[in-house]
Amino acid sequence: MRTFSPLWLLLVSQLLVGCESLHFPWEKGAATVVPGTETVEASQPVGPGAQCPEPVAVVCAEPEVKVVERVIERRFEKVVEVPVAKDKLVLGAVETVSIEPGGLFLESVIDTGSATSTLSAQELTRFERDGKEWVRLKLAPPDSGAEADLTTVELPIKRHIRVARPGFESQRRPVVEMSLTVGEVTHMVEVNLTDRSGSDMPMRIGRNFLKDAAVVDVSRRNVQGEPKAPNTK
């Protein structure tokens, strides 16, 4: 009877029992036991009888998402079209105004920033008549510098106002009533008087004449032309 070596017997026995942990010294990754120690290092077995490791599910962490709220504020300019009544005047930045008393035609600035109208006159003189305060003023026709051409006007003073201008001392001005005509519209309004000789524009039409009567187009001049008194239609 032929004798089998112990190594063959061990191999056959392991194959019969289905052991998958049999390792040979010459196989890579075989378990190594160091005498005198308790540490055993072993690699995964390789070869036909090696057992594959269980699959492990790898879950990747979701990246952190930062949500930044951006608020953009937009401002839109709202254009409102205001209808203009048909019976209102359309005035330019400069218009010719007829004043009474005096009967003069003066180039006037249309000043929406002034509450009352202003007239620049010469030789303002206050005096008393019948117990009331009056004022005497002289007006020069346009393009006339001769003293003989000056027109003298006397009017009762209704009240006084104090006007402050940047860079100038405040002035106490007399206020009188005058009839002003622009185009075909005539209004009796309050006019404050100031002594401002040599002014290119002796008259400034304020809001007390413009209110409820006219609209202003500052890009135009002399829209209404020469004034027309109500009795000369």
Side-chain angles (χ1 to χ4, degrees):
M1 184 175 179
R2 190 175 178 179
T3 305
F4 295 95
S5 64
L7 181 58
W8 282 103
L9 292 175
L10 177 62
L11 177 59
V12 171
S13 62
Q14 292 293 336
L15 291 175
L16 292 175
V17 298
C19 179
E20 298 177 351
S21 60
L22 178 63
H23 303 284
F24 297 98
W26 58 82
E27 291 181 345
K28 185 178 179 180
T32 305
V33 179
V34 180
T37 64
E38 296 181 356
T39 303
V40 178
E41 297 179 359
S43 303
Q44 290 292 339
V46 296
Q51 183 178 5
C52 297
E54 292 292 334
V56 178
V58 179
V59 180
C60 297
E62 295 184 0
E64 183 180 358
V65 179
K66 294 183 179 180
V67 179
V68 180
E69 182 180 0
R70 298 181 62 187
V71 179
I72 302 176
E73 182 179 358
R74 294 183 174 89
R75 295 183 179 180
F76 298 93
E77 182 179 356
K78 185 177 181 181
V79 179
V80 180
E81 295 185 359
V82 181
V84 178
K86 295 181 179 180
D87 57 345
K88 287 189 177 182
L89 288 176
V90 177
L91 304 181
V94 176
E95 293 289 343
T96 301
V97 179
S98 172
I99 64 172
E100 291 291 345
L104 298 179
F105 290 68
L106 302 177
E107 287 288 303
S108 306
V109 176
I110 308 302
D111 188 0
T112 58
S114 298
T116 60
S117 301
T118 303
L119 175 62
S120 298
Q122 300 180 27
E123 301 181 19
L124 289 177
T125 304
R126 293 175 176 85
F127 64 96
E128 185 175 338
R129 176 179 292 174
D130 299 331
K132 297 182 179 180
E133 192 175 10
W134 284 56
V135 62
R136 181 182 297 112
L137 59 140
K138 293 184 178 182
L139 300 174
D143 302 326
S144 176
E147 186 175 355
D149 294 332
L150 295 180
T151 301
T152 301
V153 177
E154 295 180 349
L155 293 169
I157 297 176
K158 290 194 63 178
R159 59 189 179 96
H160 289 84
I161 62 172
R162 186 165 294 277
V163 178
R165 295 184 300 160
F168 297 90
E169 294 183 359
S170 61
Q171 293 180 342
R172 185 172 180 265
R173 298 180 181 178
V175 177
V176 297
E177 280 191 340
M178 301 187 76
S179 175
L180 306 181
T181 302
V182 180
E184 297 183 356
V185 176
T186 301
H187 288 315
M188 181 71 72
V189 297
E190 290 186 347
V191 178
N192 70 81
L193 305 176
T194 180
D195 190 351
R196 198 181 301 167
S197 302
S199 175
D200 294 337
M201 298 288 180
M203 188 81 191
R204 304 181 75 89
I205 302 299
R207 294 193 302 271
N208 60 344
F209 181 91
L210 303 173
K211 183 179 179 182
D212 300 329
V215 292
V216 182
D217 184 353
V218 296
S219 64
R220 304 170 66 184
R221 295 170 64 99
N222 296 314
V223 177
Q224 295 299 319
E226 186 175 327
K228 299 176 182 178
N231 58 356
T232 59
K233 291 183 179 179

